[in-house]
Amino acid sequence: MVTRLMNWFDDRLPLTATIERHLTKYPAPINMNIWYLAGVLLVVVLVIQLASGIWLLMNYEPTAEGAFASIQYIMRDVEYGYIIRYMHTTGASAFFALIYLHMFRGMMYGSYQKPRELLWVLGWITYVLLCALGFTGYVLPWGQMSFWAAQVIMSLFGSIPYIGEDLLTWIRGDYLISGITLNRLFAFHVVLLPLALIAVVFVHILALHEVGSNNPDGVDVKKYKDEDGVPLDTKPFFPYDVMHDLYAIGVFLIFFVTIMFFYPDGGGYVIEYVNYEAADNLKTPEHIVPSWYYTPFYAMLRAVTFPLFGLSAKFLGFVVMAAGIAIFVALPWLDRSPVKSIKYKGVYSKFFLALFVVSFFVLGYLGTVTSTPGRTIAAQIFTVTYFAYFFLMPIYSKYEKCKPVPERVQLG
Amino acid sequence: MQPKSPPNPGRRKFLIGATSAVGAVGIAGAAVPFISAFNPSAAAEAAGAPAVADISKLSPGEMIIVEWRGTPIYVVKHSEESINEIDKNLERLADPDSDTDVQPVYAKNKYRSRKPGISVLSAVCTHLGCAPKYYPELGVVDFDTEWQGGFFCPCHGSKFDLAGRVYAGVPAPDNLTVPPHYFKSDDILIIGEDGDVA
Ligand code: HEM
Ligand code: FES
């Protein structure tokens, strides 16, 4: 019966073939480790965000007059509305935490190197889309932080020489952030960006399944195959990976619901306190701080305090901040190392990767606190070291001495 | 049957070119409404109508906030003392003579005001658009040890003096904008129009 049904489908759609290729028989390297879980968890969070987002939408009102009140309504009067909302806010932070881990995995194991450049670029596009989703979503509750974050971030476009002011008015659709701006960000947040994200994630996974997963040793598992053409150092995705992915999803969800139920504000990081006040276009809050996942880039923006080459400090800050996000896409072409994994790369690669991590965290911290002259200097130094990882890579990755890479994957 | 190869490649090329050109024009045309819809709507433009403020009750040192085109406009009445001291820390200012064109001609003077003693300033920080806060007190404040009174932007720490002139070495590049305004009578201030004598 089931077989006949499947046959009926298979004659009309490559159903079995697709399932086998992308799920059950996908050959996963046997030495994959915990870092390889982030991808699956990202898909889980994507589903959580879609579901909770659609449910929020059922009661959210996208107008300057009604938005703030409708969020309060969801929190107080809609049955379990507060859970739906906390699910979405917690999901947003989890999304970023996971995407950073996922990207860092790629940086450690050289997963962006040939033949995975396009896979990496597609991943980077999802990251940019996610940044846009985070920003547009943050504006929707129309609290004080929503309003002023939108004002500051959109004003960045006003710093572009010559066209800036007109461009800014065009983007905002008004002379200051207003309900008109809110409506268009709403359209982006609930329709355009999620559609784009789903499409790019889909292609990201197609590309992954075309070139195959990398692994912590960075060796090509397709080199040695058994007589059926299955790579020796791989195991089929089902049941092996499915089982341990399910386990990981379970553990992840425990953390997720703990935050969602008991620490929904995340100490002011998941939901910022100032946003419990309705937007006031005449009054800026004392401290405006972006969400934690943008703070490294916010610190870079503030680090540029001097004009250069006839460009204003504010435009340069914008450029440096944008470059901090954009530079990841260039990694496949910056890395000249014959070796993929950090395990076998030389000391310089290890040093600069560590320096990058430290810079990222320090900048992340500096972005959450008010600036003082000392902190500005620190931000400047760590902005330089952040970029050093990328810009010096063509040199240090080419000339350092690497360890020999084994022929086959190493276990243990 | 094999389709014959096109007999006239030149004509094909022309047709492909012409079709693409027409298609491109069509796409460009279709883009117009999508791009234009992003501009401020007629309603948003109309909200740009002048704002009226009664300044009769404003006492020296006080400030009121007037909303014009959705943006906060600060109207400050200065005290005698602060008017006299307006030149006191010129060396800390980036553009003391208001050379940058962010005020109407009638406000291009050392008080940056049309009527001496009354400042009308757009409270949109010239850095990234926060609303700077009014700090009339003199002396030691949180963010300055020799404060001469003025405005401080909480977002990234830009400072402006009482006339809205920006300090040097802060993120904001320009003085606060002075919106077009005129005094209809001694007590009635109109923001958004230059009045007769522009
Ligand atoms: C919505 C966001 C994303 C989703 C849902 C997603 C999903 C996935 C999944 C399911 C995998 C396979 C499992 C794994 O290897 O962890 C994967 C692999 C990969 N992803 Fe992503 N990803 C996302 C964003 C990104 C970003 C931002 C980058 C990098 C800029 C990236 C780069 C990669 C690379 C290089 C691989 C292959 C890694 C390897 O085989 O070593 N992905 N992704
Ligand atoms: S917005 Fe005022 S200092 Fe940045």
Side-chain angles (χ1 to χ4, degrees), chain A residues 34-43 98-99 101-102 105:
Chain A
I34 189 164
W35 289 98
Y36 279 77
L37 294 170
V40 181
L41 296 178
L42 278 166
V43 177
L98 289 168
I99 212 163
L101 293 174
H102 191 71
R105 183 276 316 266

Side-chain angles (χ1 to χ4, degrees), chain B residues 125 127-130 153 155-158 171:
Chain B
C125 180
H127 182 222
L128 296 175
C130 290
C153 185
C155 291
H156 318 94
S158 291

Side-chain angles (χ1 to χ4, degrees), chain A residues 151 170 184 281 284 286 298 314, chain B residues 35 38 70 126 129 131 133:
Chain A
Q151 169 74 353
W170 183 75
R184 64 184 55 172
N281 61 334
T284 304
E286 280 313 316
Y298 188 63
K314 116 179 157 177
Chain B
I35 292 173
F38 257 58
T126 51
K133 284 191 164 36

Side-chain angles (χ1 to χ4, degrees), chain A residues 32 35-40 42-43 46 95 99 102-103 105-106 109 111-112 116 119-127 130 197 201 204-205 208 212-215 328:
Chain A
M32 274 186 176
W35 289 98
Y36 279 77
L37 294 170
V40 181
L42 278 166
V43 177
L46 179 61
F95 222 145
I99 212 163
H102 191 71
M103 290 164 76
R105 183 276 316 266
Y109 300 145
S111 302
Y112 48 77
R116 296 183 183 81
L119 174 61
W120 176 262
V121 172
L122 288 163
W124 174 80
I125 296 173
T126 68
Y127 173 59
L130 194 65
L197 182 65
V201 167
H204 180 66
I205 293 175
L208 170 75
S213 297
N214 185 27
N215 58 79
F328 289 99

Side-chain angles (χ1 to χ4, degrees), chain B:
Chain B
M1 196 182 80
Q2 275 290 78
K4 273 189 273 157
S5 63
N8 192 337
R11 189 156 76 190
R12 302 240 144 204
K13 226 179 186 164
F14 172 75
L15 286 174
I16 290 174
T19 316
S20 314
V22 172
V25 170
I27 290 174
V32 170
F34 286 93
I35 292 173
S36 304
F38 257 58
N39 281 323
S41 64
E45 301 247 8
V52 182
D54 180 353
I55 52 169
S56 59
K57 296 198 185 63
L58 208 56
S59 49
E62 241 180 29
M63 180 186 92
I64 52 167
I65 304 177
V66 182
E67 187 171 348
W68 174 60
R69 298 207 303 197
T71 64
I73 306 292
Y74 290 171
V75 181
V76 192
K77 184 161 185 168
H78 300 298
S79 62
E80 203 66 40
E81 186 197 356
S82 54
I83 294 177
N84 294 336
E85 302 207 334
I86 198 79
D87 284 338
K88 211 168 155 197
N89 60 345
L90 289 184
E91 71 288 350
R92 291 183 66 192
L93 303 178
D95 179 15
D97 301 323
S98 297
D99 288 329
T100 316
D101 192 18
V102 289
Q103 63 278 313
V105 277
Y106 47 78
K108 189 175 181 321
N109 50 53
K110 72 175 172 187
Y111 305 108
R112 300 188 78 236
S113 65
R114 184 160 205 174
K115 182 168 171 165
I118 305 271
S119 285
V120 181
L121 300 167
S122 167
V124 178
C125 180
T126 51
H127 182 222
L128 296 175
C130 290
K133 284 191 164 36
Y134 179 46
Y135 283 89
E137 32 317 71
L138 307 179
V140 181
V141 285
D142 281 354
F143 50 85
D144 202 306
T145 48
E146 295 164 37
W147 189 236
Q148 293 297 316
F151 306 89
F152 175 73
C153 185
C155 291
H156 318 94
S158 291
K159 302 174 197 175
F160 305 87
D161 79 350
L162 282 170
R165 294 178 295 187
V166 69
Y167 277 58
V170 298
D174 298 322
N175 294 342
L176 290 177
T177 305
V178 178
H181 66 280
Y182 71 99
F183 295 86
K184 202 168 174 186
S185 67
D186 269 355
D187 292 342
I188 301 298
L189 163 68
I190 310 287
I191 298 168
E193 276 175 5
D194 293 311
D196 314 326
V197 272

